[in-house]
Amino acid sequence: MSRSSNEFFVGYLKTPPKLAIFLTVVSVLLTGLGIGGGFALLAGQPDYGNGGFKGGYKEHLGVLQAAPYPMLRLPPDEAHPDGRTILLSNPGKRGAQKRAAKHDGQIVDVGGVFITREGTRLLQVGGAAKIRPAKEPASIQDFVPAADVPLGPVTLRGEIVDTKCYLGAMLPGEGKVHRACANLCLMGGIPPMLAVFHENEAPTLLLLTNAAGEAFDAEILDYVAPYVSVTGDLYRRGDLLMLRTDASRIGFI
Amino acid sequence: MSVQYRPVTWTRNKITYDLVLGFGIAAFIILFLRYAPGWLESPRISGPQLRMRAFGTCAFLLLTIVLSIGPLARLDSRFLPLLYNRRHFGVAIFFVALAHAFAVTGWYQAFGPLDRYVALLASSTAVTSWQAFPFEYLGIFALGILFTLAATSHDFWLTFLGAPLWKAIHMSVYAAYAAIIGHIALGVLQAEHSPWLLGLTGVSVGLVSALHIAAGLREQEASVAPAVSDSEGNWVHAAYIGDLPDEGGVTVFLPTGEKAALFRYDGKVSALSNACAHQNGPLAEGRIIDGCVTCPWHGYQYRPEDGCSPAPFTEKVATYRLRRNGNRLLIDANALPPGTPVPPIELEQGA
Ligand code: FES
């Protein structure tokens, strides 16, 4: 090792000037490389979409259904020949099951804010109305929500997400990093959906239920986030696609 | 060389070191929080998720740097000052990593049906699955190690536990690094398929491994000295007199697995243990200052004749017996108890 004795560093002595210059250069370099490296790590990060809370608080009149997950059925109109089916949740990582149970099958007013991403929506219940018996039910007095329409067996590939975060409650609200959060949402009662991605259009979202068409239990948690293939029977309720399946028919790709 | 324990014994160099470190971390976090969203394709990343990335990325880069400093200093002594005060670096990494953990649990594990710390362990548990592996566990493990190292970084623990145990505990930083690589690979690398993310994680692993291998090879070149005699002691070849630098040390690799530091000074030669009593700093890479062997790491000093620190200090290192055999020196591989005086070998003028 070659160095002249005045280049030798001792912690409690003054640093020799040549060494001090070297160290300054190294410090600046390391800081620069660190910051540059940090930004480079971000390069090529994907687009997380523009989902989020949109449109502010509104109240909606419809028929409430508590199973498999709380949802509000709206009668058909010109733009929606099949009627509309709006999934509901509570604030935070909690489903609206408790509130919905009291009103299953009733005509209700539901107040809340939409979380919307690429045309798919979920209503976070809250505000003045929350869920209450409708004040003016007359206009939909004779609306009877249509039964589920079977569309046959399918095998689809995609990602199992918790509907709320995926639609924009969190950005990004999908993927492996977000997996623990998604599972907590599902444990809390937020409906699980399968997001099937397409080349040039918005993903298709399907509500997942067990084979009997009821809410999924904890077995689904192992399959949240990684890419999976799901085989099941497809149904349509209003404008909502639903896939009945069970854990034995879900597999990692 | 402290005769009493203070939280930190400040010196000008330590203050400079910490200022540079603090400035670098602050600059990184501020620039990241301020400009990363605009730089991203998706500027609408949620605030807490941006903070997770800022702190997580920062901690990872800091760990890469701190693990590179050791081998860099072994390869080029000009990096030694970066090693000095490395403990403050480690403590800083712990706090940045802790900020990352708080950002995560305050968002992903919050507002849910479970307590957030229960949720951290219970929400994702598929340990047998590669795709769904709870990478959070690896992060918790690494944070635990960083905490242990930060908590035991003070000299008190060094003395209390003894240098070898302390050093062994602090070697677990490599386990923390490995866990963090796993945390990244099974976490964000599975979520986002950016070649940059993968490439730069690879660069970190490559850099840390390459530097360690290079430094290791360098030490192996100076291979174990061949034994030449074993009557009354375990005498082995130490060095040729002509190879001894004027006022520096030479590392001798002994058959016992230990290392001795050979020093030439004032026309004399003495041998001490290579391991500084403070933190096992390599004394052979130090210098003679004011007649004392001075450790390159924090400047502890020892008299070459007996391995004792000059008064009022009380540190001692082991000494070795030397014997001259023509143009070379032999060393008794059996170390003498720390502080044992050994008469130095006197060299003739011009040797
Ligand atoms: S290791 Fe700290 S002075 Fe030697």
Side-chain angles (χ1 to χ4, degrees), chain A residues 1 3 5 8-15 19 22-23 26-27 30-31 34-35 37-51 92-94 169-172 175-181 183-184 187-188 222 226 252-253, chain B residues 13 24 28 31-32 36 39-42 44-46 49 53 57 61 77-79 81-82 84 107-113 119 122-124 129 131-133 135-136 186-188 190-192 194 196-197 200 285-287 289 296 299 301:
Chain A
M1 221 162 287
R3 56 176 181 234
S5 68
F8 183 67
F9 177 86
V10 179
Y12 52 79
L13 298 180
K14 207 172 161 329
T15 312
L19 192 58
F22 174 79
L23 293 174
V26 168
S27 307
L30 281 179
T31 313
I35 292 174
F39 274 71
L41 277 168
L42 292 175
Q45 227 166 63
D47 189 349
Y48 304 128
N50 66 345
K93 296 180 176 123
R94 291 175 193 275
M170 286 192 183
L171 275 175
K176 179 70 184 284
V177 174
H178 176 265
R179 182 179 137 76
C181 176
N183 276 355
L184 287 168
M187 289 173 177
D222 281 349
F252 294 124
I253 299 175
Chain B
N13 286 318
F28 182 97
L31 289 174
F32 198 103
W39 163 261
L40 289 172
E41 202 186 324
S42 183
R44 295 186 60 249
I45 185 169
S46 304
Q49 279 158 285
R53 283 172 194 232
T57 312
L61 291 168
S77 59
R78 288 178 302 170
F79 286 101
L82 298 181
Y84 168 79
W107 185 241
Y108 285 158
Q109 275 76 28
F111 327 114
S123 57
S124 176
S129 158
Q131 290 98 328
F133 188 87
F135 68 103
E136 294 87 352
L186 298 176
V188 72
Q190 282 188 345
E192 292 176 9
S194 148
W196 284 97
L197 214 55
L200 284 164
E285 290 172 26
R287 286 211 148 254
I289 294 180
Q301 295 193 305

Side-chain angles (χ1 to χ4, degrees), chain B residues 165-237:
Chain B
L165 178 59
W166 188 88
K167 188 139 191 188
I169 292 173
H170 283 242
M171 289 299 267
S172 66
V173 69
Y174 291 102
Y177 180 69
I180 283 171
I181 296 297
H183 181 68
I184 293 170
L186 298 176
V188 72
L189 285 182
Q190 282 188 345
E192 292 176 9
H193 306 277
S194 148
W196 284 97
L197 214 55
L198 182 63
L200 284 164
T201 310
V203 166
S204 164
V205 176
L207 182 76
V208 170
S209 331
L211 284 173
H212 279 83
I213 291 170
L217 287 180
R218 165 75 75 91
E219 283 187 354
Q220 231 171 37
E221 276 170 27
S223 56
V224 173
V228 293
S229 147
D230 41 13
S231 61
E232 59 165 293
N234 187 8
W235 292 94
V236 297
H237 171 84

Side-chain angles (χ1 to χ4, degrees), chain A residues 28-235:
Chain A
V28 170
L29 224 94
L30 281 179
T31 313
L33 279 178
I35 292 174
F39 274 71
L41 277 168
L42 292 175
Q45 227 166 63
D47 189 349
Y48 304 128
N50 66 345
F53 291 88
K54 284 175 191 166
Y57 175 81
K58 284 199 189 78
E59 293 179 7
H60 309 267
L61 177 66
V63 173
L64 190 107
Q65 292 182 332
Y69 291 91
M71 51 180 84
L72 188 67
R73 305 286 302 270
L74 269 52
D77 56 28
E78 246 164 69
H80 309 91
D82 298 321
R84 274 180 288 167
T85 305
I86 300 170
L87 287 167
L88 308 176
S89 88
N90 267 9
K93 296 180 176 123
R94 291 175 193 275
Q97 278 82 350
K98 240 181 160 173
R99 279 184 178 145
K102 291 177 270 181
H103 303 285
D104 192 15
Q106 290 178 10
I107 298 178
V108 291
D109 293 322
V110 178
V113 182
F114 275 123
I115 307 171
T116 308
R117 176 173 177 180
E118 292 158 322
T120 308
R121 306 182 295 184
L122 169 129
L123 187 67
Q124 175 174 300
V125 176
K130 300 193 180 69
I131 302 179
R132 66 169 182 230
K135 281 189 173 160
E136 294 163 29
S139 62
I140 62 164
Q141 201 69 63
D142 24 64
F143 165 54
V144 180
D148 296 354
V149 182
L151 300 174
V154 288
T155 296
L156 297 167
R157 292 165 157 231
E159 176 181 339
I160 299 176
V161 297
D162 77 279
T163 308
K164 189 173 186 180
C165 285
Y166 175 81
L167 293 181
M170 286 192 183
L171 275 175
E174 59 195 278
K176 179 70 184 284
V177 174
H178 176 265
R179 182 179 137 76
C181 176
N183 276 355
L184 287 168
C185 280
L186 298 186
M187 289 173 177
I190 306 277
M193 287 184 116
L194 178 70
V196 179
F197 303 100
H198 310 292
E199 194 80 34
N200 286 318
E201 35 179 316
T204 308
L205 286 157
L206 307 99
L207 181 68
L208 290 172
T209 69
N210 70 12
E214 300 153 351
F216 241 114
D217 55 25
E219 60 183 347
I220 197 177
L221 299 180
D222 281 349
Y223 297 97
V224 174
Y227 227 57
V228 287
S229 154
V230 183
T231 301
D233 297 300
L234 193 60
Y235 288 82

Side-chain angles (χ1 to χ4, degrees), chain B residues 4 32 53 69 75 104 117 120 144 161 173 204 216 274 299 307 322 341:
Chain B
Q4 60 178 16
F32 198 103
R53 283 172 194 232
I69 293 176
L75 290 165
V104 170
Y117 297 104
L120 189 59
L161 298 169
V173 69
S204 164
N274 189 46
L322 289 174

Side-chain angles (χ1 to χ4, degrees), chain B residues 38-119:
Chain B
W39 163 261
L40 289 172
E41 202 186 324
S42 183
R44 295 186 60 249
I45 185 169
S46 304
Q49 279 158 285
L50 180 63
R51 289 196 283 282
M52 289 173 209
R53 283 172 194 232
F55 290 119
T57 312
C58 186
F60 175 57
L61 291 168
L62 288 172
L63 197 59
T64 303
I65 294 174
V66 88
L67 288 180
S68 303
I69 293 176
L72 269 178
R74 276 148 74 196
L75 290 165
D76 182 337
S77 59
R78 288 178 302 170
F79 286 101
L80 276 171
L82 298 181
L83 209 61
Y84 168 79
N85 215 18
R86 185 166 50 164
R87 286 186 278 174
H88 289 199
F89 206 128
V91 173
I93 296 178
F94 165 69
F95 280 111
V96 175
L98 189 67
H100 169 73
F102 276 131
V104 170
T105 51
W107 185 241
Y108 285 158
Q109 275 76 28
F111 327 114
L114 302 175
D115 171 83
R116 68 180 65 173
Y117 297 104
V118 176

Side-chain angles (χ1 to χ4, degrees), chain B residues 276 278-281 295 297-300:
Chain B
C276 176
H278 179 220
Q279 266 177 54
N280 289 356
C295 177
W297 284 9
H298 316 90
Y300 276 38

